[in-house]
Amino acid sequence: LLRYFDGTYHAGGAFYEHLHMKPQFAVANSHGAWSTMLNSEFLVLLSILSTAYLAHYNAPVYYEQLDPGPNGNRDRRFILVSVLGFAAAGLTMSL
């Protein structure tokens, strides 16, 4: 956040010329909301957001289905499963 607010990567900033990909912002068109919703990039975003919603909505169910373990505590196992899931997703997306 610091780099965003201090302008380091903005045009004319200290690191702007070193960026591999310069930011590009599309100009809004006047075709309305339907053209936005039918855009393939928007459909990808909608798919990602719906998957994230469903994952968060089902988190309590996953927690309840975990075996409590010998000490009867599910918290550590839930944290472990969550960290491993995020790590696997990050590794998959980075390949």
Side-chain angles (χ1 to χ4, degrees), residues 70-94:
N71 63 357
N73 190 357
R74 290 184 178 118
D75 293 343
R76 285 187 165 203
R77 288 178 179 232
F78 187 72
I79 290 171
L80 177 65
V81 169
S82 298
V83 167
L84 290 175
F86 277 108
L91 179 65
T92 302
M93 294 305 292
S94 67

Side-chain angles (χ1 to χ4, degrees), residues 42-59 62 85-86 89 93:
F42 177 76
L43 295 176
V44 171
L45 173 64
L46 186 64
S47 173
I48 292 169
L49 292 176
S50 65
T51 302
Y53 172 76
L54 290 174
H56 285 83
Y57 180 78
N58 288 324
Y62 298 148
F86 277 108
M93 294 305 292

Side-chain angles (χ1 to χ4, degrees), residues 25-39:
F25 301 101
V27 177
N29 59 27
S30 61
H31 299 293
W34 283 109
S35 66
T36 300
M37 289 189 291
L38 295 176
N39 186 347

